[in-house]
Amino acid sequence: MAASYDYEDTVVPSQQQPESLGYDPNFVPDSVKSFVVHLYRHIREKNVYEIHQMYETSFQTLSDRMFKDSPWPSVDAVSPSVDNDHVFCLLYREMWFRHLYARLSPTLKQRIDSWDNYCSLFQVVLHGVVNMQLPNQWLWDMVDEFVYQFQSFCQYRAKMKSKTEQEIALLKQFDQAWNVYGVLNYLQALVEKSMIIQILEQEKEGLEQFTATDGYDYNGGSNVLKVLGYFSMVGLLRVHCLLGDYHTGLKCLLPIDITQQGVFTSVIGSHITTIYHYGFANLMMRRYVEAIREFNKILLYIYKTKQYHQKSPQYEQILKKNEQMYALLAICLSLCPQVKLVDEAVNSQLREKYGEKMLRMQRYDDEAFALYDELFSYACPKFITPSAPSYEEPLVNYNQDAYRLQLKLFLYEVKQQQLLSGVRTFLKVYSTMSLGKLATYMEVDELTLRTILMTYKHKTHSVDSDGKIISNADFDFYIDDDMIHVVESKPAKQYGDYFLRQIVKLEGVMNDMDRIKLD
């Protein structure tokens, strides 16, 4: 399955994009040579702190200064400086491709070469002896980029109309590159070989120290396989979401208790990706309460810590996912009004962004339907069709097919829910009411009303991850002798947080006033 990478097959200038025609893959500036030599040394010495500094800061600084619109020097050019170390060259090439994807448009050959490099790298991790400690940030980025490049390849391959004969020939020749089974197999193999599920189980019994040490091994061992296995569970959730298989995706994430702090929260990108896909999968499975609860927690966390990530290379991505999750939260709360689950700070931001739209989404009309369509299209993942295209004429683009199917399924659910919004409006007003009276209000006969009420019961309940039926409604009802009895859960109001926040605000205002010097 894995193609071994031939380092002679280096990208030459003619394959580069026009802006990079002056690029010489064999020229290594002194600053790059110094970077590579020091990074190699720190990796050999297992100096995680220095590796992290070089990976997060130095690599970005050099990229901004010297390689804004061209790739880094080829692996062949830098390998003599690092004793031609095979594993380091695979790691360097992984960063090389990541930079290429971020700054330029990769060619089909480069996409295939990146797949080969990941295959070689993961084969070494799975079957070789990797005696390294790498920062969690880098290990997360590896899994994250692997899934991103798979998604990108599927989208690229699905746009068949613009393909040249040469590209079609390459796609046919390298038909195993970014194959969906290959991607899933590598992620699953990393989970199994790392024994991470067993490690997390043993941790609950106090026999392991995985989360307490953020996945690092302070006894001189390696964290690479274990942490890659851990992040691969998040990778599997993401892949299955892209394929529209939400049940399997959530099943892959089960070993990680997302209600607790974990290694997934040690990297902001991992934390956001995990909760975004977890929340989205729950939304699509009608587990609205679970989705609302987790979206609220992560949005509150971003709200409080956003300023600390302003210099991070992931800052723009953090802001984008933040906006998308507010849109998904607006959808969840419109389908399942549970405002009591949302923190005041998050609710305030939500009202500012989507307050007016959410009011309109409560109505049963075409405008409300269009708003659900708009928010879903903005906030959903970039769904993919993983199968290879038909290479026969005429060639068609099918990159939007998977998205259209998921949108159709979602809007079908919304249509059903909207039919029930009238029932909710009436039941919220009364504590008891006869079936005949409600039937008159809703302009239907009693038999139809009973069907509507049964449907309402069905739609406000879902099956949780343990297979138990749970309610998503903020009130319940039962029918006794043609009388409807409404049972509303009244949450205890908590004023403490609100007053504490207002006191902090007031103190801030008073401090500002004290600093003003009057003439």
Side-chain angles (χ1 to χ4, degrees):
M1 177 175 62
S4 60
Y5 193 82
D6 178 9
Y7 286 113
E8 297 299 297
D9 190 10
T10 307
V11 179
V12 294
S14 60
Q15 285 177 291
Q16 292 307 314
Q17 287 63 41
E19 68 265 33
S20 323
L21 288 175
Y23 164 72
D24 178 1
N26 299 311
F27 172 66
V28 184
D30 289 343
S31 52
V32 172
K33 186 176 179 182
S34 172
F35 169 82
V36 169
V37 168
H38 281 90
L39 183 61
Y40 176 55
R41 194 182 81 217
H42 292 317
I43 287 175
R44 295 201 53 173
E45 293 169 355
K46 295 186 183 175
N47 189 335
V48 180
Y49 177 77
E50 288 297 339
I51 298 168
H52 188 262
Q53 290 298 104
M54 294 196 73
Y55 174 78
E56 271 286 90
T57 310
S58 310
F59 184 71
Q60 295 300 331
T61 305
L62 283 171
S63 295
D64 288 338
R65 203 170 75 222
M66 306 177 72
F67 305 108
K68 246 185 163 61
D69 53 8
S70 68
W72 273 60
S74 72
V75 73
D76 278 350
V78 301
S79 61
S81 305
V82 293
D83 306 330
N84 294 305
D85 185 282
H86 178 58
V87 176
F88 182 86
C89 287
L90 290 172
L91 290 171
Y92 175 82
R93 203 148 173 71
E94 193 269 336
M95 292 165 70
W96 189 94
F97 279 115
R98 185 134 36 93
H99 170 264
L100 180 82
Y101 268 80
R103 306 282 175 133
L104 302 161
S105 251
T107 63
L108 175 53
K109 186 68 175 72
Q110 288 165 341
R111 290 172 188 271
I112 293 164
D113 289 346
S114 184
W115 163 255
D116 288 345
N117 190 69
Y118 272 117
C119 290
S120 302
L121 181 56
F122 289 156
Q123 289 283 14
V124 168
V125 173
L126 288 165
H127 306 296
V129 179
V130 181
N131 191 21
M132 294 185 296
Q133 291 261 32
L134 292 180
N136 285 344
Q137 179 71 59
W138 193 348
L139 294 169
W140 161 252
D141 286 345
M142 263 184 224
V143 174
D144 187 47
E145 185 71 12
F146 180 63
V147 176
Y148 165 71
Q149 289 189 20
F150 164 63
Q151 171 196 310
S152 174
F153 181 84
C154 289
Q155 295 281 358
Y156 164 86
R157 183 177 58 185
K159 294 174 186 170
M160 288 302 293
K161 275 188 178 174
S162 56
K163 295 283 177 284
T164 63
E165 284 181 23
Q166 186 188 5
E167 284 176 315
I168 290 170
L170 267 178
L171 283 170
K172 286 180 180 175
Q173 184 185 347
F174 296 99
D175 60 342
Q176 290 305 301
W178 296 111
N179 177 291
V180 63
Y181 296 114
V183 170
L184 289 169
N185 284 344
Y186 270 121
L187 293 171
Q188 191 60 44
L190 287 165
V191 172
E192 288 172 10
K193 188 73 188 275
S194 65
M195 306 282 287
I196 189 62
I197 295 175
Q198 292 86 331
I199 288 169
L200 292 174
E201 280 299 316
Q202 288 178 325
E203 190 172 47
K204 289 175 189 169
E205 297 164 26
L207 303 172
E208 279 281 353
Q209 285 279 299
F210 182 76
T211 306
T213 60
D214 273 345
Y216 294 111
D217 190 326
Y218 294 121
N219 299 318
S222 170
N223 70 329
V224 173
L225 178 58
K226 280 193 292 189
V227 177
L228 277 178
Y230 180 90
F231 285 137
S232 289
M233 291 190 282
V234 179
L236 283 165
L237 165 68
R238 186 174 162 196
V239 172
H240 286 301
C241 278
L242 292 173
L243 298 171
D245 185 356
Y246 309 108
H247 178 77
T248 306
L250 290 173
K251 205 170 162 188
C252 292
L253 197 70
L254 269 180
I256 300 176
D257 182 358
I258 63 156
T259 64
Q260 304 294 323
Q261 289 285 312
V263 175
F264 79 97
T265 59
S266 66
V267 179
I268 182 75
S270 151
H271 193 178
I272 290 172
T273 298
T274 304
I275 303 302
Y276 168 79
H277 288 94
Y278 177 84
F280 185 81
N282 275 298
L283 162 62
M284 293 300 277
M285 291 182 72
R286 294 212 327 269
R287 298 175 186 168
Y288 303 117
V289 169
E290 188 60 26
I292 291 166
R293 194 176 283 124
E294 292 308 321
F295 281 142
N296 171 62
K297 280 199 300 201
I298 189 74
L299 289 168
L300 187 61
Y301 174 75
I302 296 171
Y303 176 76
K304 288 177 176 175
T305 62
K306 199 162 51 178
Q307 68 270 29
Y308 303 119
H309 299 286
Q310 283 178 347
K311 291 182 181 173
S312 161
Q314 290 93 25
Y315 187 62
E316 280 185 26
Q317 191 61 20
I318 291 169
L319 292 184
K320 185 186 174 188
K321 278 281 170 275
N322 184 58
E323 293 303 313
Q324 285 181 312
M325 286 191 286
Y326 270 111
L328 292 176
L329 182 59
I331 290 173
C332 289
L333 288 169
S334 298
L335 292 172
C336 172
Q338 288 272 21
V339 185
K340 66 176 184 285
L341 296 175
V342 181
D343 188 271
E344 192 211 329
V346 174
N347 196 32
S348 166
Q349 294 275 308
L350 182 68
R351 295 290 155 204
E352 201 176 296
K353 294 172 193 291
Y354 294 112
E356 190 191 331
K357 286 184 178 179
M358 285 174 74
L359 282 173
R360 282 157 38 206
M361 284 160 78
Q362 292 299 316
R363 299 204 302 258
Y364 177 47
D365 57 21
D366 289 343
E367 188 191 3
F369 199 61
L371 285 170
Y372 278 108
D373 185 331
E374 177 196 318
L375 293 191
F376 181 88
S377 301
Y378 167 67
C380 69
K382 287 188 168 65
F383 300 109
I384 54 172
T385 304
S387 53
S390 162
Y391 294 109
E392 308 306 318
E393 296 289 345
L395 298 172
V396 294
N397 289 349
Y398 63 97
N399 54 305
Q400 292 289 312
D401 288 5
Y403 152 71
R404 287 197 194 103
L405 175 62
Q406 294 301 319
L407 177 64
K408 183 181 170 186
L409 290 169
F410 170 73
L411 291 179
Y412 180 67
E413 180 64 36
V414 168
K415 205 90 171 168
Q416 292 180 318
Q417 299 264 14
Q418 282 185 314
L419 280 168
L420 303 170
S421 61
V423 179
R424 187 176 187 285
T425 307
F426 288 118
L427 292 180
K428 285 285 282 182
V429 177
Y430 294 88
S431 55
T432 54
M433 188 183 198
S434 69
L435 275 171
K437 193 174 179 182
L438 182 56
T440 307
Y441 284 156
M442 293 195 64
E443 298 174 2
V444 292
D445 59 67
E446 283 193 29
L447 196 61
T448 306
L449 177 62
R450 282 181 182 273
T451 308
I452 291 172
L453 290 172
M454 286 295 286
T455 309
Y456 185 85
K457 278 277 190 187
H458 168 64
K459 288 296 181 187
T460 55
H461 285 74
S462 59
V463 181
D464 71 4
S465 54
D466 298 323
K468 286 190 274 194
I469 295 174
I470 51 167
S471 171
N472 285 316
D474 54 347
F475 70 92
D476 202 359
F477 66 88
Y478 62 92
I479 299 172
D480 183 25
D481 284 340
D482 290 344
M483 285 295 288
I484 305 167
H485 298 267
V486 180
V487 186
E488 187 164 2
S489 57
K490 289 200 167 65
K493 292 189 177 177
Q494 296 177 336
Y495 300 107
D497 283 352
Y498 176 79
F499 281 117
L500 282 171
R501 268 194 294 274
Q502 299 310 315
I503 290 166
V504 170
K505 272 186 192 172
L506 178 61
E507 284 177 349
V509 171
M510 287 165 70
N511 287 338
D512 290 343
M513 288 173 71
D514 286 343
R515 280 197 289 270
I516 297 170
K517 289 179 182 172
L518 298 170
D519 292 335

